[in-house]
Amino acid sequence: MNEELKGEVTRGARALVVYPQMRGPKGQVADLDADARLEEARGLALAIGLEVVEAMAIIIREPRAATLFGEGQIQNISVACELNEAELVIVDGSLTAIQQRNLEEKLKRKVIDRTGLILEIFGERAATAEGRLQVELAHLDYQAGRLVRSWTHLERQRGGFGFLGGPGETQIEADRRLIRDRMAKIRRELEQVRRTRGLHRDRREKAPWPIVALVGYTNAGKSTLFNRLTGAEVMAQDLLFATLDPTMRAIRLPGLEKAILSDTVGFISDLPTQLVAAFRATLEEVTAADVIVHVRDIANPDTDAQKRQVLDVLADLGVLQPQVDERALRRAAIDERATGWAQEKAEEEGGEPLIPIIEVWNKWDLLDPEQAKALREAMSHREGEIIVPVSALTGEGCDELLAIASKTLTLDSKVYSFVIPAADGQRLAFLHARGEVVTEEDAGEGSDGPQLRLQVRLSERELGRFTSL
């Protein structure tokens, strides 16, 4: 193996992107078409400072176990590398360790697959100690199965002592053991992070402030929307995976004193399983959310495919089980058209309620009038879904989004009557801060002095917290 293939991916390197377009037995292909996948791969390469000199899609009908591509296809890739002076080949798909090694030998260039590329991006972008631990764990998990493609020094053996030591362990076995030990240490550290995050979550629940989590495909505009709603200055660029570490800020919602808005890592098609596992601690914030705001780039031609990818990842993480009927009930209640029916139906269904989802159609300002009209028409037929057209850049629709988020959070609210001593400042302050005081009047004298009678709209959760005071 050439020495130059040993190094890491270097910024500014000339790269050739190859998308292996898998064809099924009936000719079906993946959700995203070839042009969209190539454009996304260009964005991934750009995110780490690579120069993409050419991008090509190659149809794979029968994947080769040794190289993925056929001999003629490999020859075409090699010629394209020579013509464009490419130093690196990016395969926008998954490669086994053997396939990666064989392709490097045949192309005489470093080869990385989609997982390796995304891991490189995450490694460069992780800013916090937690983020760096998660990325390192994902890197080690990825490398552990690829020591077979490592270099000749791993073939040496460490001998035993005297005549009884035997051949000893090979260097590759020693390296695997070191990786396993390091992964175990990182997992212990991440477990501590998870416990700390859980303590913070417990404190927020006691506070108590509802949590609104932003999720969406990478580059859908989550961070721009986050900045617009909170006035924060989270990094927001036209770049894939511009932000990795979760950020939380307090926001005010109509009828609520305070809520917590959480910005999470963007999803992407074929998100590496190593990253899904490593970032589970971060994504636990989504599982604790009271409302999920799914931000979509509605101006993107592949927005529907991107939506499916996001929902698939959420389902894989165990934080979402899509159930259109439940969302229909919530939408009907929010629109105040069938609140009683929705409540009766929900009681019949039983079980734990799902986390409600508000779908934000972002980048509305990029649509021409005809597209906007067509989408509004489509929106009117999407019963059972809460959809808000928004431009995070201009602020259009943001007030409506906040109002709907508030209605969703207070969907289970009911009006309760309380008689409280006028001197009980703590409980009175709680009701004014956490609920909607409908009426407040004098209730005469009681054993504790003057009394007040209040009619207050509270959610079940807030009622439980009030009764524990």
Side-chain angles (χ1 to χ4, degrees):
M1 181 68 65
N2 293 343
E3 285 292 320
E4 60 268 20
L5 297 182
K6 299 181 186 179
E8 297 296 325
V9 177
T10 57
R11 180 171 288 275
R14 296 171 63 84
L16 175 75
V17 173
V18 181
Y19 169 48
Q21 190 174 19
M22 300 296 179
R23 294 278 180 152
K26 297 182 180 180
Q28 66 268 26
V29 295
D31 278 343
L32 297 179
D33 63 25
D35 290 339
R37 278 297 293 256
L38 288 174
E39 189 60 33
E40 186 174 272
R42 285 179 183 272
L44 290 171
L46 178 63
I48 200 173
L50 299 174
E51 179 188 354
V52 178
V53 292
E54 187 177 344
M56 54 198 296
I58 295 180
I59 295 175
I60 305 291
R61 290 185 173 82
E62 294 184 7
R64 304 291 178 91
T67 57
L68 181 63
F69 302 101
E71 287 298 325
Q73 293 170 332
I74 293 174
Q75 185 63 33
N76 291 338
I77 296 171
S78 180
V79 170
C81 288
E82 292 293 338
L83 292 175
N84 293 281
E85 299 179 353
E87 311 160 63
L88 170 71
V89 176
I90 300 171
V91 177
D92 189 32
S94 296
L95 291 175
T96 65
I98 295 296
Q99 288 171 341
Q100 187 173 353
R101 183 192 65 183
N102 290 340
L103 285 174
E104 285 184 340
E105 289 179 346
K106 289 178 178 295
L107 297 173
K108 303 294 187 276
R109 285 167 178 81
K110 185 171 181 62
V111 176
I112 61 173
D113 64 0
R114 184 181 179 86
T115 299
L117 180 60
I118 294 176
L119 286 173
E120 291 284 347
I121 297 170
F122 274 52
E124 185 177 89
R125 297 285 171 76
T128 64
E130 179 191 357
R132 287 191 290 270
L133 283 173
Q134 291 169 326
V135 170
E136 184 180 356
L137 178 62
H139 263 291
L140 291 172
D141 189 23
Y142 179 68
Q143 293 168 4
R146 295 178 176 261
L147 289 180
V148 65
R149 65 174 289 272
S150 298
W151 320 113
T152 54
H153 78 281
L154 295 182
E155 296 171 0
R156 295 196 298 269
Q157 288 184 332
R158 292 177 176 173
F161 296 100
F163 295 103
L164 302 178
E169 67 176 349
T170 62
Q171 183 68 45
I172 193 170
E173 290 168 346
D175 284 2
R176 279 182 178 148
R177 177 170 48 79
L178 290 173
I179 286 179
R180 286 196 301 270
D181 292 346
R182 177 61 181 159
M183 288 175 69
K185 183 174 184 295
I186 292 175
R187 286 195 177 100
R188 287 194 297 270
E189 293 180 24
L190 283 175
E191 178 61 23
Q192 180 59 45
V193 169
R194 190 190 66 79
R195 285 197 293 269
T196 302
R197 201 180 279 279
L199 291 174
H200 291 168
R201 193 177 299 122
D202 290 341
R203 290 195 194 105
R204 288 198 300 271
E205 289 179 354
K206 291 175 183 176
W209 297 309
I211 299 174
V212 180
L214 297 179
V215 302
Y217 208 79
T218 183
N219 209 30
K222 294 185 308 303
S223 295
T224 303
L225 182 60
F226 183 86
N227 290 343
R228 169 67 63 176
L229 297 178
T230 64
E233 295 183 355
V234 173
M235 179 185 177
Q237 295 184 6
D238 185 16
L239 200 64
L240 299 186
F241 296 119
T243 51
L244 293 183
D245 297 294
T247 308
M248 292 190 172
R249 293 288 188 277
I251 59 171
R252 292 189 64 86
L253 293 176
L256 293 172
E257 181 199 28
K258 189 177 183 181
I260 303 297
L261 187 65
S262 173
D263 185 18
T264 61
V265 63
F267 300 148
I268 196 168
S269 59
D270 297 337
L271 187 70
T273 54
Q274 293 90 346
L275 280 174
V276 172
F279 277 77
R280 184 174 293 275
T282 299
L283 292 168
E284 279 181 355
E285 292 298 340
V286 179
T287 71
D290 297 281
V291 173
I292 293 176
V293 175
H294 177 192
V295 183
R296 294 176 57 187
D297 178 0
I298 201 64
N300 190 306
D302 290 294
T303 183
D304 289 333
Q306 291 179 354
K307 174 184 176 179
R308 286 193 292 273
Q309 297 287 350
V310 170
L311 296 182
D312 286 346
V313 171
L314 288 176
D316 289 343
L317 289 167
V319 300
L320 173 70
Q321 294 180 4
Q323 187 176 339
V324 176
D325 289 344
E326 181 72 11
R327 293 206 299 272
L329 300 180
R330 292 185 178 277
R331 182 56 186 265
I334 289 171
D335 287 347
E336 299 177 355
R337 289 197 299 263
T339 306
W341 171 81
Q343 186 175 349
E344 292 174 7
K345 188 68 176 174
E347 291 173 355
E348 290 174 9
E349 295 290 329
E352 292 294 324
L354 299 175
I355 300 174
I357 296 178
I358 300 172
E359 195 169 293
V360 169
W361 287 5
N362 190 28
K363 304 189 182 181
W364 196 262
D365 55 301
L366 298 182
L367 302 175
D368 60 45
E370 288 298 320
Q371 289 176 311
K373 181 180 178 181
L375 284 173
R376 286 194 183 277
E377 178 66 21
M379 193 187 308
S380 66
H381 293 92
R382 297 278 287 273
E383 294 187 9
E385 295 182 83
I386 309 170
I387 302 172
V388 187
V390 163
S391 170
L393 197 61
T394 66
E396 178 187 357
C398 288
D399 289 341
E400 182 186 357
L401 171 61
L402 293 176
I404 288 180
S406 178
K407 284 186 178 181
T408 306
L409 287 168
T410 58
L411 185 60
D412 61 347
S413 297
K414 297 179 182 178
V415 176
Y416 300 91
S417 180
F418 304 100
V419 177
I420 302 173
D424 191 346
Q426 180 187 11
R427 301 178 81 198
L428 287 172
F430 182 95
L431 292 176
H432 280 278
R434 311 301 183 199
E436 178 188 350
V437 178
V438 180
T439 63
E440 182 175 347
E441 57 187 15
D442 184 12
E445 289 289 327
S447 59
D448 299 326
Q451 307 282 310
L452 293 175
R453 178 176 286 106
L454 296 90
Q455 300 283 334
V456 185
R457 187 181 301 278
L458 285 174
S459 68
E460 290 184 10
R461 188 169 70 170
E462 303 295 351
L463 177 64
R465 289 177 178 131
F466 174 75
T467 54
S468 65
L469 290 178

